[in-house]
Every structure is written in structure tokens, then in C-alpha cells.
Amino acid sequence: MDILKVKNLKKIYHTKKNEFLAVDNFSFNLKEGEFVAIVGPSGCGKSTILSILCGLDEASNGQVDYNPKLKFGYMLQGDNLFEWRTIYKNCLLGLEIQNNLENKKYVDKLLKTYGLWEFKDTHPSHLSGGMRQRVSLIRTLATKPDILFLDEPFSALDYQTRLAVSDDVYKIIKKEGKSAIMVTHDISEAISMADRVIVLSNRPSKIKHIYNINLENKSTPIENRKDKNFAHYYDLIWKDIDYHV
């Protein structure tokens, strides 16, 4: 079932001297429980599209249709944890803003399930980058969003930590039954995590191709990189993206 429908999305930015088209005719549907990754050349408008879809920015034209009862969660590039708040208090931030602390038991469950309960009374500076990112995800999940928007969520991490955390985040998203749209510049990351990969052109950003990622033994992102079809998708997407323009 489609829970998000995007049709002919367009974004025009205006300056004092002129205007420029950033996104043109972007259309796709997100299915319930689906993980979609968006890749493309640097500066092509990936994050702009994500901001429009979750309501942080407005489209110049086109439609974004979804059930108004759906809740969105947004995970930024950095963990953006507040150093003066404990891990537990950071996780409760969204609930405090909504003046809804009924989900505290859900936060407790998430912290216990994903190995952070013993650190709940410590501060972010005492955690590794990977653990901080898990806290960031739990803070996002605390409000029980139906769709997660992930904007380069692992870009601040070193390569080894990035692999481990992408595995953690993927498992959590799938176990909690969430739909997700992730923007990334990392092709391997996109293929290993997503059910579909949307490849964008240079600006003005248009969809060049949408790949259904069919791996023989689909598992966790780290294991998916070992699949014999992984290199095939990587080659197709790499050729689709023009990094030289």
C-alpha cells in the first residue's frame, strides 16, 4: 500500500537577479514498510527534495499526498544531541516539545532493546560516534513516526563505524516496522540498505532511473554487500551518476 505519493514535484529558487530550477518533475510513491534511498551528484537537490517531502520546505509546484494522520521523523547528518542533557533526556526531547510524555515507556523499551539503557544517565560526550547516532535514532523514534527521513545520517562517521551503525539503524528501522527515505552520496550504502534506489540527474534534478534492488539473500547491510548481485547494481548506478559535470 502506498503511504506517500509524490507527483510532478518542482522547486524554483529566486534571487535578487534571477531564478533557477532546482528540482523538476520528481514523482514516486512510497510503500508501507519500504526503504527508499535517493542518490545523485553533489548539489543536485537531494536534501531539498527530502525537506519538501517532510514539510520543512515548500514545493513551487506539484503534489505531495499522504494521510494527514501520518507522523514524520527527521534524522539529520549530525546527531545534534544536547551535551548538557543526559542520554535519556535527549531521547525525551521530542515528547517534551509535543507535551506528550505518554511514550516514555516506549523510549525505555528502545534504550533497553538497543543496548543503551545502562548509559541513560550519562551525557553524549561519554559515548562513541556510533552510539550517539543510535541515541539520535531513538530520539527520532520516540514520537512514533510512520515515515523516517534520513539526511546523510552516517556522513560524520569514520568508515568502519559507518558500516556498523548503518547495520544497527537498518535493523532498528525494520524491527520497528517503519518506512524510510534516505538521502546519501554513498552508492554502496544505498544498495545495501534500500528496497529501491532513486538516481537523480544534475541540477535541475530529475529522476534518471529507479532501481528495484533484488538481492538473492537479502539480510543486513554488511551482509548485503557480499551478495553476488551487489556489484551489478553498483556498476549500473555509478554509470548513471555523472560526477564530472
Side-chain angles (χ1 to χ4, degrees):
M1 181 178 70
D2 294 331
I3 60 172
L4 180 71
K5 298 179 180 180
V6 186
K7 186 176 181 182
N8 299 328
L9 200 69
K10 179 181 288 190
K11 180 63 177 180
I12 300 172
Y13 285 105
H14 299 271
T15 67
K16 290 182 179 180
K17 294 183 178 180
N18 54 24
E19 65 178 32
F20 67 90
L21 182 61
V23 179
D24 190 24
N25 196 34
F26 181 86
S27 301
F28 94 107
N29 293 348
L30 177 71
K31 298 179 178 64
E32 186 174 5
E34 186 180 29
F35 197 122
V36 170
I38 301 175
V39 300
S42 179
C44 72
K46 300 186 292 292
S47 293
T48 297
I49 291 171
L50 204 66
S51 295
I52 293 172
L53 296 184
C54 69
L56 293 178
D57 198 358
E58 291 186 1
S60 302
N61 209 341
Q63 291 178 285
V64 180
D65 295 325
Y66 57 89
N67 187 325
K69 293 183 179 179
L70 288 182
K71 294 181 181 179
F72 295 161
Y74 197 97
M75 192 169 171
L76 299 165
Q77 292 182 18
D79 56 65
N80 292 289
L81 300 178
F82 293 124
E83 294 294 343
W84 62 88
R85 294 175 68 103
T86 64
I87 298 307
Y88 194 62
K89 287 289 187 180
N90 267 286
C91 290
L92 294 179
L93 185 62
L95 299 179
E96 290 176 5
I97 292 171
Q98 293 182 352
N99 195 27
N100 172 24
L101 292 176
E102 294 178 3
N103 285 359
K104 283 181 70 174
K105 289 184 178 179
Y106 181 56
V107 172
D108 293 351
K109 174 197 164 193
L110 291 173
L111 287 168
K112 291 174 182 176
T113 301
Y114 302 116
L116 289 165
W117 181 252
E118 63 182 291
F119 303 100
K120 69 183 179 69
D121 295 322
T122 62
H123 290 79
S125 59
H126 293 91
L127 301 187
S128 67
M131 292 174 74
R132 290 173 65 110
Q133 208 65 4
R134 271 189 280 161
V135 173
S136 177
L137 178 59
I138 289 172
R139 179 182 61 189
T140 305
L141 290 172
T143 58
K144 295 190 175 181
D146 301 288
I147 302 175
L148 288 171
F149 295 95
L150 313 173
D151 188 0
E152 299 274 9
F154 317 118
S155 60
L157 304 173
D158 63 78
Y159 182 72
Q160 186 175 359
T161 304
R162 183 173 185 141
L163 288 178
V165 174
S166 67
D167 240 39
D168 285 344
V169 169
Y170 178 84
K171 291 174 185 175
I172 293 171
I173 289 173
K174 287 299 182 180
K175 188 172 181 178
E176 298 302 318
K178 304 300 180 182
S179 304
I181 301 175
M182 178 178 71
V183 160
T184 180
H185 67 273
D186 189 320
I187 297 173
S188 295
E189 191 169 86
I191 298 168
S192 67
M193 296 184 75
D195 301 303
R196 284 190 293 161
V197 176
I198 299 174
V199 183
L200 301 180
S201 68
N202 278 288
R203 199 173 64 205
S205 185
K206 297 180 180 180
I207 293 177
K208 292 185 74 172
H209 208 120
I210 299 179
Y211 292 95
N212 293 307
I213 306 300
N214 297 310
L215 303 178
E216 285 193 354
N217 299 300
K218 197 155 188 177
S219 179
T220 66
I222 289 178
E223 290 300 314
N224 289 342
R225 292 170 187 250
K226 304 173 186 177
D227 191 282
K228 69 177 185 178
N229 293 322
F230 184 89
H232 169 68
Y233 287 114
Y234 189 98
D235 188 51
L236 288 174
I237 295 172
W238 173 261
K239 289 176 180 177
D240 254 351
I241 299 175
D242 187 355
Y243 282 109
H244 307 292
V245 175

